[in-house]
Amino acid sequence: QVQLVESGGGLVQPGESLRLSCAVSGSISSFNTVDWYRQAPGKQRELVANIEGRFTVSRDGAMNMLYLQMDNLKPEDTAIYLCHAQTRALNPKYARDYWGSGTLVIVSS
């Protein structure tokens, strides 16, 4: 069973930085994708990539960790941030998606 455990969320002021971590059970390289999503109140879940040059995703394959460095945070970045992994499959319809429970980030003054 794949487990994804996020940590590092919290309450920060606009302009501050935060680094989220995701511990992945199993080898991170065994997955088709491992990435970050976020879901803001009342909005659809969205993939987190290099948002406005402020967010950086990195990984430590040896430790099976995924990170999200978020700089110059804005109130609109307030959301639950979730770690996601998709297994490899010859036929994409058999790929499975796994989600962590998420970590809450609140950006407010």
Side-chain angles (χ1 to χ4, degrees):
Q1 181 70 13
V2 175
Q3 289 188 323
L4 307 170
V5 180
E6 305 94 335
S7 60
L11 172 63
V12 296
Q13 294 189 343
E16 292 186 338
S17 296
L18 208 57
R19 187 192 195 209
L20 305 183
S21 300
C22 172
V24 181
S25 65
S27 172
I28 200 170
S29 62
S30 70
F31 294 97
N32 183 39
T33 59
V34 185
D35 40 33
W36 288 97
Y37 280 74
R38 70 180 183 182
Q39 187 158 20
K43 295 187 177 182
Q44 286 191 333
R45 192 172 292 183
E46 63 174 351
L47 177 67
V48 176
N50 187 7
I51 296 178
E52 302 174 359
R54 299 185 293 116
F55 289 14
T56 304
V57 179
S58 62
R59 61 173 60 187
D60 183 334
M63 298 298 293
N64 295 317
M65 295 290 295
L66 186 73
Y67 302 102
L68 177 63
Q69 177 67 40
M70 305 185 292
D71 298 316
N72 190 23
L73 282 161
K74 301 178 179 181
E76 52 263 40
D77 296 319
T78 294
I80 296 173
Y81 285 74
L82 304 109
C83 190
H84 163 259
Q86 185 182 74
T87 60
R88 298 181 188 275
L90 291 178
N91 187 330
K93 73 177 183 180
Y94 294 118
R96 296 187 64 180
D97 292 286
Y98 294 90
W99 297 89
S101 58
T103 185
L104 178 61
V105 173
I106 300 174
V107 185
S108 175
S109 56

